[in-house]
Amino acid sequence: MHENHSGLPARELLIRGGHVLRGTSVDSQPERLDILIRDGVIVELGARVDAPDGADVLEATGKLVIPGMINSHYHSHDTLAKGTLEEEPLEYWRLLALPPQFPPRSRDEIKARTLIGAYENLRAGITTVQDMVTLFPFDPDHLDAVVEAYEEIGLRAVVGLQYADKKGITTIPYWEEIFPAELHGSLSTAAEPDAKVDQLAHLEDAYLTGAPRELVTWALGPSAPERCSPALVERTVALAEKYDLQIFTHIYESRAMALQARLEYTQYGGSLIRRLADEGMLGPRLNLAHSVWLLDEEIGILAETGTNVVINPLSNVKLKSGIPPIHAIEEAGISFGLGCDNSSCSDAQNMFQAMKMFTAMTAISRPDPGPTQADRAWHAATRGGAHALGRDNGIGHIEVGFVGDVVTIDLSDPTFVPLNSAVRQLVYAESGRGVIDVVVNGRTVIKDRTLTTMDPQALIERVRELAPQYLADFEVVRQRTEKLRPYLLEAHRRTWNADVGLNRLFTGE
Ligand SMILES: [Zn+2]
């Protein structure tokens, strides 16, 4: 029996007899290996590792053992909205689904929604989420509820509060002129200025200066550059450097976001990337979610500065945003992760879906075949996500010294019979059905497809009790947005008629 640094018996788990996938190539052959995890870290990997006295054993014979996947762009705030919406352009969808449109939520609902989202991620073999959560209006107790939820269910979370200091209406082309003044108060975007509480000061006092936590760590989430003043960007960069934090923001998700840059940032040639370069935010700490409407020269700047991208294939398609320039991003050597984005628009927290859609989008974005994309999708879902989170040598891979975040998959499921290429079958054939066990930080959180850390039935019942109030509020939001539709369509049409220097949506022309 080993002891840990506190003098307590170490927590040990042996994952025995599985076929372990360690490479990311389509030709990678899973090896039959045992994995010993001690106090959350992989300490031994070998053809035969004996179980230490007192260790738990997870039988993995007949299973494919993969690193837990990393959902690098996720928002826990709308997990109750899955299945509520059809395709809607991004700017309408924001009015239908995002927290500033809704009455304040209860602590109880916030905790339950975080838990049900975490549970969905875990069941799909995701062991780390980057949760860019909007808590509006901000209440410190609500942030505590989010942290509590991740710790109780046992999912690794890099939480980044989403914040902004400019009103949404001033950041979307044509809205101020098209909407009658009396409606301006009802228009918002992903995050709105929050006058009552200084979220960054609270984050610093309550969490960043505190003792490190086992599963919850922190990132910074400036909502989108056009929603943040230069002073807020400066403060974000300073805080990130002080506490060694990654930064996540949304960039050029829609054509309207590209047009806004052209209209507002003339001093930077209409480029948000040039603005961020000038403000010192570009670099390996920064992750740009979406990056659909990047210009070629902007891709070059991202490559030079080592800035990362997070691609969200399903939301980009469902919200009619367009197809990101994946070939150009790959050819420039930019590191990228993959995300499942909001439950109100994607709607599943499922990296298998994200990986497959990624390959499909890439295939259709240029007529010539190649290069292979399944290996790039798998890399993005694991090691690319680790890089996005600044944890290259910590998560997303099965190796001694990495954390014990491991998923087992049923090799006797028809999906893997016969086993031709583990990576291709994970990307093109697996749906999530094959996920059997999910280990996070050496703890078996899902065992035999069953949540072990809390009573799943009680969680399900709690969410079902809370859902009617959420749906009643959603109905009010939906009816209000329906009345705005003529103005929204007018702004949308004008946006599509404006020249932004490129096109990322298939229009049949
Ligand atoms: Zn997002």
Side-chain angles (χ1 to χ4, degrees):
M1 171 126 10
H2 289 84
E3 289 185 353
N4 62 27
H5 54 81
S6 322
L8 297 167
R11 198 180 76 227
E12 291 177 310
L13 174 71
L14 182 70
I15 303 173
R16 188 161 64 193
H19 295 271
V20 181
L21 180 66
R22 298 169 73 207
T24 57
S25 150
V26 291
D27 299 320
S28 299
Q29 297 293 330
E31 304 167 76
R32 202 218 140 283
L33 292 171
D34 296 339
I35 304 169
L36 181 63
I37 303 169
R38 180 176 301 135
D39 287 330
V41 177
I42 298 173
V43 291
E44 237 182 297
L45 201 58
R48 192 191 158 94
V49 178
D50 291 326
D53 290 347
D56 288 328
V57 175
L58 182 67
E59 282 300 342
T61 305
K63 299 173 184 171
L64 179 65
V65 179
I66 62 172
M69 288 174 283
I70 299 163
N71 185 352
S72 298
H73 190 67
Y74 166 64
H75 303 277
S76 65
H77 48 246
D78 61 358
T79 63
L80 303 187
K82 60 180 76 95
T84 55
L85 294 168
E86 292 288 317
E87 55 160 82
E88 293 285 2
L90 178 78
E91 284 72 28
Y92 306 15
W93 163 80
R94 288 196 193 120
L95 294 178
L96 285 162
L98 297 185
Q101 287 292 314
F102 282 74
R105 314 319 294 169
S106 67
R107 184 191 206 278
D108 197 21
E109 183 184 297
I110 286 167
K111 186 165 176 186
R113 78 188 187 192
T114 312
L115 287 170
I116 200 72
Y119 183 26
E120 187 186 359
N121 275 281
L122 285 164
R123 280 298 302 269
I126 293 161
T127 54
T128 300
V129 292
Q130 198 285 303
D131 182 3
M132 194 174 181
V133 61
T134 301
L135 298 171
F136 187 89
F138 183 76
D139 178 339
D141 198 31
H142 291 179
L143 182 56
D144 289 349
V146 171
V147 173
E148 244 174 61
Y150 286 123
E151 291 183 337
E152 286 177 21
I153 202 165
L155 175 64
R156 190 180 300 284
V158 181
V159 179
L161 282 170
Q162 185 166 198
Y163 54 84
D165 64 352
K166 287 188 181 179
K167 280 188 153 314
I169 185 173
T170 66
T171 67
I172 300 176
Y174 312 121
W175 276 24
E176 277 181 299
E177 52 190 273
I178 288 176
F179 285 94
E182 65 269 24
L183 294 176
H184 287 192
S186 58
L187 301 170
S188 65
T189 180
E192 290 289 307
D194 198 330
K196 293 206 188 82
V197 183
D198 183 334
Q199 294 188 40
L200 289 177
H202 173 73
L203 179 69
E204 189 169 10
D205 292 347
Y207 288 104
L208 299 179
T209 51
R213 290 166 182 271
E214 187 182 324
L215 292 176
V216 174
T217 55
W218 300 95
L220 297 175
S223 182
E226 67 272 22
R227 291 170 220 149
C228 298
S229 66
L232 189 56
V233 168
E234 188 181 340
R235 194 173 168 204
T236 299
V237 172
L239 202 60
E241 282 170 6
K242 183 173 177 187
Y243 293 99
D244 193 19
L245 304 174
Q246 296 297 95
I247 303 169
F248 287 77
T249 193
H250 296 94
I251 201 138
Y252 294 146
E253 181 170 355
S254 67
R255 188 185 183 102
M257 289 166 82
L259 178 59
Q260 183 65 20
R262 307 293 182 270
L263 297 173
E264 188 174 354
Y265 297 103
T266 48
Q267 71 273 42
Y268 296 111
S271 165
L272 281 169
I273 299 300
R274 288 198 178 280
R275 179 196 152 189
L276 292 180
D278 186 52
E279 292 174 349
M281 197 187 250
L282 299 185
R285 277 190 205 289
L286 181 65
N287 291 275
L288 302 175
H290 305 296
S291 299
V292 176
W293 293 78
L294 283 172
L295 294 161
D296 286 347
E297 63 152 60
E298 293 178 317
I299 292 170
I301 298 171
L302 299 186
E304 277 163 33
T305 52
T307 306
N308 312 303
V309 162
V310 181
I311 293 169
N312 300 276
L314 281 148
S315 62
N316 290 164
V317 174
K318 195 177 174 208
L319 297 179
K320 307 169 86 69
S321 296
I323 295 179
I326 297 168
H327 284 295
I329 288 168
E330 289 176 350
E331 282 155 15
I334 294 169
S335 181
F336 59 94
L338 280 180
C340 302
D341 212 357
N342 298 74
S343 300
S344 61
C345 67
S346 278
D347 300 26
Q349 297 309 319
N350 185 314
M351 293 292 284
F352 300 109
Q353 288 190 5
M355 289 192 292
K356 189 170 183 175
M357 191 68 199
F358 168 87
T359 62
M361 275 172 124
T362 312
I364 205 164
S365 57
R366 133 166 130 188
D368 292 334
T372 61
Q373 294 296 332
D375 43 4
R376 292 161 195 247
W378 179 245
H379 186 277
T382 53
R383 308 209 72 171
H387 186 74
L389 293 168
R391 299 283 312 270
D392 292 87
N393 296 313
I395 57 176
H397 184 45
I398 297 177
E399 184 57 87
V400 170
F402 280 63
V403 295
D405 291 5
V406 173
V407 170
T408 75
I409 294 199
D410 184 5
L411 280 176
S412 64
D413 188 282
T415 297
F416 291 97
V417 183
L419 182 63
N420 294 316
S421 162
V423 166
R424 273 204 198 99
Q425 280 160 275
L426 286 166
V427 172
Y428 291 127
E430 176 58 65
S431 60
R433 182 180 65 203
V435 172
I436 305 175
D437 311 296
V438 179
V439 174
V440 183
N441 217 36
R443 182 177 289 118
T444 310
V445 176
I446 305 276
K447 187 168 191 179
D448 267 332
R449 301 186 161 92
T450 304
L451 187 64
T452 65
T453 45
M454 58 175 60
D455 176 1
Q457 204 50 43
L459 168 61
I460 290 162
E461 280 161 23
R462 191 71 199 111
V463 172
R464 284 180 180 153
E465 284 163 11
L466 289 159
Q469 181 62 53
Y470 177 81
L471 291 174
D473 292 339
F474 172 71
E475 187 52 26
V476 173
V477 169
R478 197 188 61 74
Q479 286 181 20
R480 184 171 64 214
T481 307
E482 200 49 45
K483 292 197 189 105
L484 303 175
R485 194 167 283 267
Y487 306 109
L488 286 163
L489 265 178
E490 175 62 18
H492 193 58
R493 286 195 191 113
R494 281 202 216 173
T495 298
W496 276 90
N497 288 328
D499 180 10
V500 297
L502 74 165
N503 185 28
R504 300 281 184 219
L505 191 80
F506 176 70
T507 52
E509 283 152 17

